[in-house]
Every structure is written in C-alpha cells, then in structure tokens.
C-alpha cells in the first residue's frame, strides 16, 4: 500500500491483470522504499536525481546512468546486483514520467525476450520551504509481476532504501554547502 502522500495518477487508471495480462497492474506486486525526510528543498533533490553523471559519487545501487531524460528516452544503467554480490547488472529502461521537482519515472515494457515489465517511480514532495520527502516504488507488471515481486522484491526494496538514504545524505550535504554550513 502506498503512503498517503504518494499520488501516482498512472496507478489510478492502469489496466488490471484481467484487462491486460501482459502489462496490467497487480497492486500486490509493488515494492515501496522507505520514505526519507530530507532537510533540503525539492529543487536540490531534483538536481541530485537528474545529474546522472554523478550517480557513481553517491548512489549505492545505480552506479552508472546515462540518458537525456526526455520522455521515451532510454536510461542505460549499471545496477549493483544485490542477489549476486560483487557483480553489476546492465539495465535499460525508458523515461515515462518527468515532472520537475516532483516525479522521475522509467519503465521497461513487456517483450517476448523479457516478459517482465516494470515501472519505477521516484517521488518528491515539498514539506516546507527547505524540506521535502522522497520515496520510490517499483511496480512489477503483468501476470509474471507477482512472481518477480516475490523473488526480487526484498532485494529491490533494500536497494531502493539504500538509494533513498544516500540521496538524503547527498542532497543535505549539497544544501548545507550551498548555504556555507
């Protein structure tokens, strides 16, 4: 169940599994990171999330990312493989949500070669002039989604939790430095 403050319009209108067995949404197949409260404005958090070249400097899960971040553009990533420590997974998804200072999303559509569609949403919400909160979700879609969620959900949650805490540290450090603290 999503925290009350996360409002993802696409989930409200998504087709069900009965309507779309390949890419339908099963609400039971969604992994949600912990929510982190960040002592920095949304614009600083957004700057960190969209500076893909700097991911290796702070992100413990996605250690490399390349994209123009235009809608539909590929996001080529190298992900730490939590299931096989010491290895990286190449991953390519496509930008499907871009709302400055609020939402950054990418997804992997269903294909015969990889019948495991998913969508990741990273959500920022302002809580004050210099504070915000952040969380991310990963919806494993289609008839295979629940199986992927049961298998990969625990390590995906760990990876997203680690990334959320690292994002908090990075944004707060940048904000404090910009203020001369």
């Amino acid at each position: 169940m999503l925290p009350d403050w996360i409002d993802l319009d696409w989930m409200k209108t998504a087709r069900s599994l009965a309507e779309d067995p390949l890419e339908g949404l099963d609400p039971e197949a969604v992994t949600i990171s912990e929510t982190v409260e960040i002592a920095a404005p949304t614009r600083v958090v957004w700057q960190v999330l969209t500076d893909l070249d700097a991911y290796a400097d702070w992100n413990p899960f996605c250690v490399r990312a390349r994209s123009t971040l235009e809608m539909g553009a590929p996001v080529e990533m190298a992900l730490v493989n939590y299931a096989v420590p010491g290895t990286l997974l190449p991953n390519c998804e496509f930008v499907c949500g871009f709302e400055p200072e609020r939402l950054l999303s990418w997804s992997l559509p269903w294909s015969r070669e990889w019948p495991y569609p998913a969508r990741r949403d990273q959500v920022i919400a302002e809580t004050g002039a210099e504070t915000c909160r952040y969380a991310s979700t990963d919806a494993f879609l289609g008839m295979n989604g629940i199986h992927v969620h049961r298998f990969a959900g625990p390590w995906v949650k760990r990876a997203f939790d680690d990334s959320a805490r690292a994002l908090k540290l990075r944004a707060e450090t940048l904000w404090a430095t910009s203020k001369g603290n």
Side-chain angles (χ1 to χ4, degrees):
M1 186 105 193
L2 293 178
D4 291 342
W5 68 272
I6 295 179
D7 186 25
L8 296 173
D9 289 337
W10 79 267
M11 284 190 180
K12 295 174 191 170
T13 60
R15 293 174 301 222
S16 69
L17 285 177
E19 295 168 315
D20 184 354
L22 298 182
E23 294 190 282
L25 174 65
D26 176 352
E28 299 297 316
V30 179
T31 297
I32 306 162
S33 77
E34 64 185 50
T35 295
V36 292
E37 301 292 334
I38 303 175
T42 58
R43 66 181 163 74
V44 174
V45 175
W46 184 254
Q47 174 189 345
V48 173
L49 282 180
T50 57
D51 183 3
L52 302 182
D53 291 338
Y55 271 35
D57 298 335
W58 67 271
N59 194 319
F61 173 55
C62 182
V63 296
R64 197 168 39 252
R66 258 185 261 136
S67 180
T68 63
L69 295 180
E70 295 170 356
M71 290 298 285
V75 182
E76 297 175 15
M77 298 171 271
L79 307 174
V80 170
N81 186 346
Y82 281 53
V84 182
T87 64
L88 294 177
L89 296 169
N91 193 40
C92 183
E93 298 188 21
F94 301 88
V95 176
C96 61
F98 189 93
E99 297 175 35
E101 299 184 21
R102 184 184 131 20
L103 178 73
L104 181 59
S105 309
W106 41 74
S107 64
L108 183 62
W110 182 91
S111 71
R112 288 190 196 285
E113 298 77 30
W114 191 256
Y116 309 108
R119 177 177 169 141
R120 179 176 188 192
D121 293 288
Q122 298 181 84
V123 184
I124 308 165
E126 184 175 271
T127 56
E130 297 184 0
T131 60
C132 62
R133 63 176 50 122
Y134 166 90
S136 68
T137 65
D138 205 351
F140 301 102
L141 304 170
M143 62 188 159
N144 293 325
I146 195 65
H147 305 294
V148 176
H149 176 71
R150 289 178 180 152
F151 170 76
W155 70 258
V156 168
K157 178 167 174 29
R158 178 180 159 213
F160 285 5
D161 288 350
D162 289 351
S163 296
R165 289 188 291 272
L167 173 66
K168 171 184 171 65
L169 178 62
R170 177 73 167 198
E172 289 177 349
T173 300
L174 289 174
W175 180 239
T177 301
S178 75
K179 292 177 14 175
N181 296 338

